[in-house]
Amino acid sequence: MTQDKPLTGTSLLEKVRELGNLSKEEKARSCGYYTQTKNGIERVNMMKFLNALIDAEGIELDSTSEGQGRGGRSASYKISVQSNGNLLIGSAYTKKMGLEPGDEFEITLGRKHIHLKQVGAPDEDEE
């Protein structure tokens, strides 16, 4: 039996919709996401199938690096105090805000929060 090239993009999405109530394994196989072993046993490649579906839907799961160097971690909006007592914000946040080296911040402390306000930036409610 010859194996067709696996479907991708809109062709993949249309075929999956067309297959309706089949199991995800049957859908993956019908869309070409399987291999045959030397003994003739078919193996469905679910990871490739699911990744192709994610790509076809245009969902970006990987963080993209917009400069040189490594991609680094994506922003999780959670940080921990380091063993030396420092809080490291990280480049994922500064890049997202478009900050440059030398940008300054005012620090105000509350009972259970630390507020950073960029010096010279308008308040959020003023925008």
Side-chain angles (χ1 to χ4, degrees):
M1 170 188 333
T2 60
Q3 179 179 340
D4 294 330
K5 184 178 177 193
L7 297 174
T8 57
T10 54
S11 304
L12 175 62
L13 295 175
E14 289 170 7
K15 182 73 171 178
V16 168
R17 284 186 197 104
E18 179 184 304
L19 295 172
N21 294 330
L22 293 181
S23 72
K24 60 186 173 210
E25 286 81 8
E26 292 169 317
K27 289 176 184 174
R29 194 217 165 284
S30 296
C31 292
Y33 289 88
Y34 68 95
T35 56
Q36 274 193 316
T37 65
K38 294 175 193 171
N39 300 333
I41 299 170
E42 272 187 14
R43 298 199 183 232
V44 176
N45 191 330
M46 286 304 296
M47 187 60 81
K48 281 188 179 179
F49 174 65
L50 295 173
N51 282 332
L53 278 174
I54 289 168
D55 290 344
E57 287 286 353
I59 299 169
E60 184 63 49
L61 293 178
D62 293 327
S63 65
T64 55
S65 175
E66 293 182 14
Q68 296 99 340
R70 301 182 323 219
R73 293 184 188 166
S74 61
S76 67
Y77 302 100
K78 246 184 180 179
I79 58 173
S80 299
V81 176
Q82 297 177 334
S83 60
N84 61 4
N86 289 342
L87 283 175
L88 178 65
I89 301 290
S91 65
Y93 304 98
T94 58
K95 285 178 185 172
K96 195 166 196 157
M97 289 182 66
L99 300 175
E100 299 292 330
D103 286 351
E104 295 182 333
F105 286 82
E106 286 179 13
I107 301 171
T108 53
L109 300 176
R111 222 168 48 147
K112 293 204 173 213
H113 71 271
I114 298 172
H115 186 84
L116 297 175
K117 180 182 177 210
Q118 190 173 4
V119 174
D123 286 330
E124 286 180 347
D125 37 327
E126 290 176 11
E127 292 177 346

